[in-house]
């Protein structure tokens, strides 16, 4: 793990996402293993052995797929990449950062600062993008984590129930719980006192929360990621092979290596090889037409939750890792979407027309005012009322 690559991977771990995710896995797994020994001793019965082996298996498989998704990465479009046929360049977008064309299904990630093959999204929990190479590992992690947490939750509940039941003394006038020792089980492998009970209860909460949160992510990830656009034309997603099984086989293979090279993709019958990129170019042009020009009337430092821009702006900051852009009075911004107290757009740093360099991000709505246009382009941002 030496050299620049190894250092980069260590830095990938030193992020709040992996630290939180791995802490949850370690706490739930360690507590579940200790509780499994207390509840169902693995060396006495076949059921106890199966329970213990399954618990270890969940942990190993969850960590294996998690680290695969993190360290294998999504795969990047080669720097300077161009299609084999030069005439195909007209169907593709050009990335000024990577100095290459964006291959079909690829997208430039501002976090990774590279064009990612078959980019799905940048996931903070693995501090990496989910894309062509790690799509299967990421999806398996989202599936195995809730299953493992459900098993661990069952162990937590059964351990707390049996241990408390063994410590209850029933009297004529009162019921007492003695946490110092079990009254009906002479074997004390691991001490189970108040601290162990609190740890099991805490781990149960983590496991249930993870089951709900990660389970919802898996359901979203498992759905067909087809984008529908509001245009007059009927758009057919070209990479839907017509059956879920065929789509499944493109991601999950026996070798663990996804099909293809991440640059060229099979398309369904009747679709052009660049159907999606052509549609993306249309949408990009339409988005630029619908953009509204604003001028900054206040300075904004670019902080996530600005204290000086009002209480509502502070508490309604967008829940996203998308960047904020700093504004100086007089800056011009092309806004493309907006919330009640925030807007998203591109700051024009060089007013040389379409070739200008732009910086995108969120900024407080109260820091800008709308520029005056002719009536044909004077349109409100999505989500903005026509009368303000």
């Amino acid at each position: 793990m030496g050299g620049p690559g190894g250092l980069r991977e260590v830095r990938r771990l030193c992020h709040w996402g992996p630290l939180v995710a791995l802490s949850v896995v370690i706490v739930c797994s360690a507590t579940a293993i200790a509780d499994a020994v207390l509840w169902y001793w693995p060396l006495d019965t076949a059921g106890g052995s199966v329970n213990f082996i399954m618990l270890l298996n969940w942990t190993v498989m969850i960590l294996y797929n998690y680290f695969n998704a993190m360290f294998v990465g999504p795969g990047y479009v080669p720097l300077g990449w161009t299609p084999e046929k030069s005439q195909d360049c007209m169907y593709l977008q050009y990335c000024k950062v990577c100095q290459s064309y964006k291959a079909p299904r690829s997208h430039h990630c501002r976090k990774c600062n590279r064009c990612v093959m078959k980019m799905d999204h940048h996931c903070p929990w693995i501090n990496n993008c989910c894309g062509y190479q790690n799509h299967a590992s990421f999806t398996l992690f989202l599936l195995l984590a809730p299953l493992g947490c459900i098993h661990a939750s069952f162990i937590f509940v059964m351990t707390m129930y049996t241990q408390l039941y063994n410590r209850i003394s029933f009297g004529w006038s009162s019921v007492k719980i003695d946490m110092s020792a079990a009254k009906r089980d002479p074997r004390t492998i691991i001490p189970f006192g108040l601290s162990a009970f609190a740890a099991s209860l805490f781990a149960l909460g983590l496991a249930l929360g993870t089951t709900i949160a990660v389970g919802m992510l898996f359901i979203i990830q498992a759905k067909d990621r087809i984008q529908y656009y509001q245009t007059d034309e009927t758009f057919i997603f070209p990479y839907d092979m017509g059956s879920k099984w065929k789509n499944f086989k493109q991601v999950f293979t026996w070798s663990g290596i996804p099909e293809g090279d991440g640059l060229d993709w099979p398309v369904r019958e009747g679709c052009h090889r660049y159907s999606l990129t052509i549609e993306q170019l249309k949408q990009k042009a339409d988005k630029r037409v619908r953009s509204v020009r604003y001028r900054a009337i206040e300075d904004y430092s670019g902080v996530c939750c600005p204290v000086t821009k009002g209480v509502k702006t502070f508490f309604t900051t967008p829940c996203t890792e998308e960047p904020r852009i700093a504004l100086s009075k007089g800056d011009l911004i092309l806004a493309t979407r907006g919330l009640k107290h925030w807007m998203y757009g591109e700051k024009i740093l060089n007013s040389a027309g379409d070739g200008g360099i732009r910086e995108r991000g969120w900024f407080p709505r109260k820091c800008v005012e709308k520029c005056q246009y002719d009536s044909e382009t004077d349109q409100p941002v999505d989500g903005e009322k026509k009368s303000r």
Side-chain angles (χ1 to χ4, degrees):
M1 204 168 172
L7 182 60
R8 184 168 55 250
E9 302 307 339
V10 172
R11 289 177 178 173
R12 193 177 298 282
L13 277 171
C14 299
H15 179 266
W16 66 265
L19 291 177
V20 171
L22 290 174
S23 296
V24 171
V25 173
I26 292 171
V27 169
C28 290
S29 298
T31 308
I33 290 171
D35 282 5
V37 171
L38 279 169
W39 167 58
Y40 207 173
W41 178 242
L43 299 181
D44 284 352
T45 63
S49 299
V50 171
N51 174 70
F52 196 76
I53 292 172
M54 284 184 61
L55 184 60
L56 294 178
N57 184 62
W58 290 126
T59 303
V60 171
M61 292 185 66
I62 288 170
L63 290 176
Y64 174 78
N65 284 284
Y66 179 81
F67 286 124
N68 256 2
M70 179 188 294
F71 294 133
V72 170
Y76 303 108
V77 177
L79 296 175
W81 179 85
T82 58
E84 293 182 2
K85 299 178 180 179
S86 58
Q87 61 266 31
D88 290 342
C89 293
M90 63 182 294
Y91 303 124
L92 301 173
Q93 298 182 61
Y94 186 79
C95 178
K96 296 180 181 178
V97 178
C98 299
Q99 296 292 304
S100 62
Y101 285 91
K102 295 181 181 179
R105 308 185 81 173
S106 69
H107 184 74
H108 185 84
C109 175
R110 289 193 296 268
K111 293 285 186 180
C112 299
N113 202 33
R114 286 290 300 274
C115 285
V116 177
M117 294 190 294
K118 194 192 171 189
M119 180 178 175
D120 188 282
H121 68 290
H122 186 93
C123 178
W125 302 110
I126 62 173
N127 194 21
N128 209 338
C129 279
C130 173
Y132 163 67
Q133 290 184 350
N134 63 353
H135 192 181
S137 295
F138 183 77
T139 305
L140 285 173
F141 166 72
L142 295 182
L143 172 64
L144 295 172
L147 294 177
C149 285
I150 290 172
H151 186 190
S153 298
F154 180 76
I155 293 175
F156 297 146
V157 171
M158 293 306 298
T159 302
M160 288 188 289
Y161 170 76
T162 55
Q163 291 297 319
L164 288 178
Y165 183 79
N166 289 340
R167 286 162 170 78
I168 295 178
S169 299
F170 296 93
W172 289 104
S173 58
S174 64
V175 177
K176 297 181 179 179
I177 301 178
D178 182 7
M179 296 298 291
S180 61
K183 301 239 184 296
R184 302 179 185 178
D185 188 358
R187 175 188 292 156
T188 54
I189 306 300
I190 299 175
F192 191 88
L194 286 173
S195 58
F197 177 80
S200 297
L201 194 61
F202 176 73
L204 176 62
L206 280 181
L208 292 176
T210 302
T211 300
I212 296 172
V214 180
M216 291 176 64
L217 287 176
F218 172 74
I219 294 173
I220 295 173
Q221 187 71 22
K223 288 182 177 179
D224 293 333
R225 302 298 296 260
I226 301 177
Q227 294 179 321
Y228 297 96
Y229 301 102
Q230 295 180 357
T231 61
D232 296 333
E233 303 175 3
T234 301
F235 176 69
I236 300 175
F237 192 71
Y239 305 112
D240 182 3
M241 295 292 99
S243 73
K244 293 185 180 296
W245 174 242
K246 290 181 180 179
N247 295 338
F248 179 87
K249 288 194 299 181
Q250 284 195 337
V251 178
F252 298 94
T253 61
W254 288 110
S255 63
I257 302 174
E259 289 187 355
D261 60 0
L263 299 172
D264 295 318
W265 297 90
V267 296
R268 65 186 301 167
E269 187 177 354
C271 289
H272 189 273
R273 181 181 180 185
Y274 296 108
S275 292
L276 180 61
T277 58
I278 293 171
E279 180 67 17
Q280 288 172 335
L281 287 172
K282 290 180 181 178
Q283 293 300 317
K284 188 174 183 179
D286 181 63
K287 183 179 179 181
R288 294 298 299 272
V289 171
R290 291 185 292 105
S291 298
V292 180
R293 187 182 295 255
Y294 283 78
R295 184 184 301 277
I297 57 175
E298 296 181 16
D299 292 341
Y300 166 56
S301 63
V303 296
C304 181
C305 301
V307 179
T308 60
K309 303 304 177 184
V311 176
K312 293 181 179 179
T313 302
F314 178 84
F315 284 107
T316 58
T317 183
C319 298
T320 174
E321 280 204 334
E322 289 180 312
R324 276 61 170 169
I325 53 173
L327 299 178
S328 298
K329 190 174 180 178
D331 285 344
L332 294 176
I333 308 100
L334 284 175
T336 56
R337 51 193 164 107
L339 302 173
K340 187 174 182 180
H341 300 288
W342 288 82
M343 301 182 74
Y344 184 90
E346 301 175 340
K347 182 168 68 172
I348 305 175
L349 301 177
N350 180 2
S351 58
D354 293 336
I357 300 174
R358 294 179 175 89
E359 180 183 349
R360 292 178 292 178
W362 290 93
F363 53 91
R365 186 182 286 269
K366 68 173 297 183
C367 294
V368 296
E369 68 176 3
K370 192 169 167 187
C371 296
Q372 295 300 319
Y373 273 97
D374 24 89
S375 57
E376 291 183 358
T377 57
D378 192 6
Q379 298 179 12
V381 180
D382 294 342
E384 181 183 5
K385 295 182 179 178
K386 294 185 179 179
S387 58
R388 292 181 57 227

CSV table of all heavy atoms in Angstrom, one decimal, residues 288-310:
chain,number,residue,atom,x,y,z
A,288,ARG,N,-30.1,25.8,-20.9
A,288,ARG,CA,-29.5,27.1,-21.1
A,288,ARG,C,-30.6,28.2,-21.5
A,288,ARG,O,-30.5,29.3,-21.0
A,288,ARG,CB,-28.4,27.1,-22.1
A,288,ARG,CG,-27.2,26.2,-21.7
A,288,ARG,CD,-26.5,26.7,-20.5
A,288,ARG,NE,-26.0,28.1,-20.7
A,288,ARG,CZ,-24.8,28.4,-21.2
A,288,ARG,NH1,-24.0,27.4,-21.5
A,288,ARG,NH2,-24.4,29.6,-21.3
A,289,VAL,N,-31.5,27.8,-22.3
A,289,VAL,CA,-32.6,28.7,-22.7
A,289,VAL,C,-33.5,29.1,-21.5
A,289,VAL,O,-33.9,30.2,-21.4
A,289,VAL,CB,-33.4,28.1,-23.8
A,289,VAL,CG1,-34.7,28.9,-24.1
A,289,VAL,CG2,-32.6,27.9,-25.1
A,290,ARG,N,-33.7,28.1,-20.7
A,290,ARG,CA,-34.6,28.3,-19.5
A,290,ARG,C,-33.9,29.0,-18.3
A,290,ARG,O,-34.5,29.4,-17.4
A,290,ARG,CB,-35.2,27.0,-19.1
A,290,ARG,CG,-36.3,26.5,-20.1
A,290,ARG,CD,-36.9,25.2,-19.5
A,290,ARG,NE,-36.0,24.1,-19.4
A,290,ARG,CZ,-35.5,23.6,-18.3
A,290,ARG,NH1,-35.8,24.2,-17.1
A,290,ARG,NH2,-34.7,22.6,-18.3
A,291,SER,N,-32.6,29.1,-18.4
A,291,SER,CA,-31.8,29.7,-17.3
A,291,SER,C,-32.2,31.2,-17.2
A,291,SER,O,-32.5,31.9,-18.2
A,291,SER,CB,-30.3,29.6,-17.6
A,291,SER,OG,-29.9,28.2,-17.6
A,292,VAL,N,-32.2,31.7,-16.0
A,292,VAL,CA,-32.5,33.1,-15.7
A,292,VAL,C,-31.3,33.8,-15.2
A,292,VAL,O,-30.6,33.3,-14.3
A,292,VAL,CB,-33.7,33.2,-14.8
A,292,VAL,CG1,-34.0,34.7,-14.5
A,292,VAL,CG2,-34.9,32.5,-15.3
A,293,ARG,N,-31.0,35.0,-15.7
A,293,ARG,CA,-29.8,35.7,-15.2
A,293,ARG,C,-30.1,36.5,-14.0
A,293,ARG,O,-31.1,37.3,-14.0
A,293,ARG,CB,-29.3,36.6,-16.4
A,293,ARG,CG,-27.9,37.3,-16.1
A,293,ARG,CD,-27.5,38.2,-17.2
A,293,ARG,NE,-27.3,37.4,-18.4
A,293,ARG,CZ,-26.0,37.1,-18.9
A,293,ARG,NH1,-25.0,37.6,-18.2
A,293,ARG,NH2,-25.9,36.5,-20.0
A,294,TYR,N,-29.2,36.4,-13.0
A,294,TYR,CA,-29.3,37.2,-11.8
A,294,TYR,C,-28.0,37.9,-11.5
A,294,TYR,O,-27.0,37.5,-12.0
A,294,TYR,CB,-29.6,36.3,-10.6
A,294,TYR,CG,-31.1,35.8,-10.5
A,294,TYR,CD1,-31.5,34.7,-11.3
A,294,TYR,CD2,-32.0,36.4,-9.6
A,294,TYR,CE1,-32.8,34.3,-11.2
A,294,TYR,CE2,-33.3,35.9,-9.5
A,294,TYR,CZ,-33.7,34.9,-10.3
A,294,TYR,OH,-35.0,34.5,-10.2
A,295,ARG,N,-28.2,39.0,-10.7
A,295,ARG,CA,-27.0,39.8,-10.3
A,295,ARG,C,-26.9,39.8,-8.8
A,295,ARG,O,-27.9,40.0,-8.1
A,295,ARG,CB,-27.1,41.2,-10.9
A,295,ARG,CG,-25.8,42.0,-10.6
A,295,ARG,CD,-26.0,43.5,-11.1
A,295,ARG,NE,-26.3,43.5,-12.5
A,295,ARG,CZ,-25.4,43.5,-13.4
A,295,ARG,NH1,-24.1,43.4,-13.1
A,295,ARG,NH2,-25.7,43.5,-14.7
A,296,ALA,N,-25.7,39.6,-8.3
A,296,ALA,CA,-25.5,39.6,-6.9
A,296,ALA,C,-25.6,41.0,-6.3
A,296,ALA,O,-25.0,41.9,-6.8
A,296,ALA,CB,-24.1,39.0,-6.5
A,297,ILE,N,-26.4,41.1,-5.3
A,297,ILE,CA,-26.6,42.5,-4.6
A,297,ILE,C,-25.9,42.5,-3.2
A,297,ILE,O,-25.9,43.5,-2.6
A,297,ILE,CB,-28.0,42.9,-4.5
A,297,ILE,CG1,-28.8,41.8,-3.8
A,297,ILE,CG2,-28.6,43.1,-5.9
A,297,ILE,CD1,-30.3,42.2,-3.5
A,298,GLU,N,-25.5,41.3,-2.8
A,298,GLU,CA,-24.8,41.1,-1.5
A,298,GLU,C,-23.7,40.2,-1.6
A,298,GLU,O,-23.7,39.3,-2.5
A,298,GLU,CB,-25.8,40.6,-0.4
A,298,GLU,CG,-26.9,41.5,0.0
A,298,GLU,CD,-27.8,40.9,1.1
A,298,GLU,OE1,-27.3,40.0,1.7
A,298,GLU,OE2,-28.9,41.4,1.3
A,299,ASP,N,-22.7,40.3,-0.8
A,299,ASP,CA,-21.6,39.4,-0.8
A,299,ASP,C,-22.0,38.1,0.0
A,299,ASP,O,-22.8,38.2,0.9
A,299,ASP,CB,-20.3,40.0,-0.1
A,299,ASP,CG,-19.7,41.1,-0.9
A,299,ASP,OD1,-20.0,41.2,-2.1
A,299,ASP,OD2,-19.0,41.9,-0.3
A,300,TYR,N,-21.5,37.0,-0.5
A,300,TYR,CA,-21.8,35.7,0.2
A,300,TYR,C,-20.5,34.9,0.2
A,300,TYR,O,-19.9,34.7,-0.9
A,300,TYR,CB,-22.9,35.0,-0.6
A,300,TYR,CG,-23.1,33.5,-0.2
A,300,TYR,CD1,-23.2,33.1,1.1
A,300,TYR,CD2,-23.0,32.5,-1.2
A,300,TYR,CE1,-23.4,31.8,1.4
A,300,TYR,CE2,-23.2,31.2,-0.9
A,300,TYR,CZ,-23.3,30.8,0.4
A,300,TYR,OH,-23.5,29.5,0.8
A,301,SER,N,-20.1,34.4,1.3
A,301,SER,CA,-18.8,33.8,1.5
A,301,SER,C,-18.7,32.3,0.9
A,301,SER,O,-17.6,31.8,0.8
A,301,SER,CB,-18.4,33.8,2.9
A,301,SER,OG,-19.3,33.0,3.7
A,302,GLY,N,-19.9,31.7,0.7
A,302,GLY,CA,-19.9,30.3,0.2
A,302,GLY,C,-20.0,29.3,1.3
A,302,GLY,O,-19.9,28.1,1.1
A,303,VAL,N,-20.3,29.7,2.6
A,303,VAL,CA,-20.4,28.8,3.7
A,303,VAL,C,-21.8,28.0,3.5
A,303,VAL,O,-22.7,28.5,2.9
A,303,VAL,CB,-20.4,29.5,5.0
A,303,VAL,CG1,-19.0,30.1,5.3
A,303,VAL,CG2,-21.5,30.5,5.2
A,304,CYS,N,-21.8,26.8,4.1
A,304,CYS,CA,-23.0,26.0,4.0
A,304,CYS,C,-24.2,26.5,4.7
A,304,CYS,O,-25.3,26.6,4.1
A,304,CYS,CB,-22.7,24.6,4.6
A,304,CYS,SG,-24.0,23.4,4.5
A,305,CYS,N,-24.0,27.0,5.9
A,305,CYS,CA,-25.2,27.6,6.6
A,305,CYS,C,-24.8,29.0,7.1
A,305,CYS,O,-24.3,29.2,8.2
A,305,CYS,CB,-25.5,26.7,7.9
A,305,CYS,SG,-25.9,25.0,7.5
A,306,PRO,N,-25.1,30.0,6.2
A,306,PRO,CA,-24.7,31.4,6.6
A,306,PRO,C,-25.6,32.0,7.7
A,306,PRO,O,-26.8,32.0,7.6
A,306,PRO,CB,-25.0,32.1,5.2
A,306,PRO,CG,-26.0,31.3,4.5
A,306,PRO,CD,-25.8,29.9,4.9
A,307,VAL,N,-24.9,32.5,8.7
A,307,VAL,CA,-25.6,33.0,9.9
A,307,VAL,C,-26.2,34.4,9.5
A,307,VAL,O,-27.2,34.8,10.0
A,307,VAL,CB,-24.7,33.1,11.1
A,307,VAL,CG1,-25.4,33.7,12.3
A,307,VAL,CG2,-24.1,31.7,11.4
A,308,THR,N,-25.5,35.2,8.7
A,308,THR,CA,-25.8,36.6,8.4
A,308,THR,C,-26.9,36.7,7.4
A,308,THR,O,-27.3,37.9,7.1
A,308,THR,CB,-24.6,37.4,8.0
A,308,THR,OG1,-24.0,36.8,6.8
A,308,THR,CG2,-23.5,37.3,9.1
A,309,LYS,N,-27.4,35.7,6.8
A,309,LYS,CA,-28.4,35.8,5.7
A,309,LYS,C,-29.8,35.5,6.1
A,309,LYS,O,-30.7,35.2,5.3
A,309,LYS,CB,-28.0,34.8,4.5
A,309,LYS,CG,-26.6,35.1,4.0
A,309,LYS,CD,-26.4,36.5,3.5
A,309,LYS,CE,-25.0,36.8,3.0
A,309,LYS,NZ,-24.8,38.2,2.7
A,310,GLY,N,-30.0,35.5,7.4
A,310,GLY,CA,-31.4,35.2,7.9
A,310,GLY,C,-31.6,33.9,8.5
A,310,GLY,O,-30.9,32.9,8.1
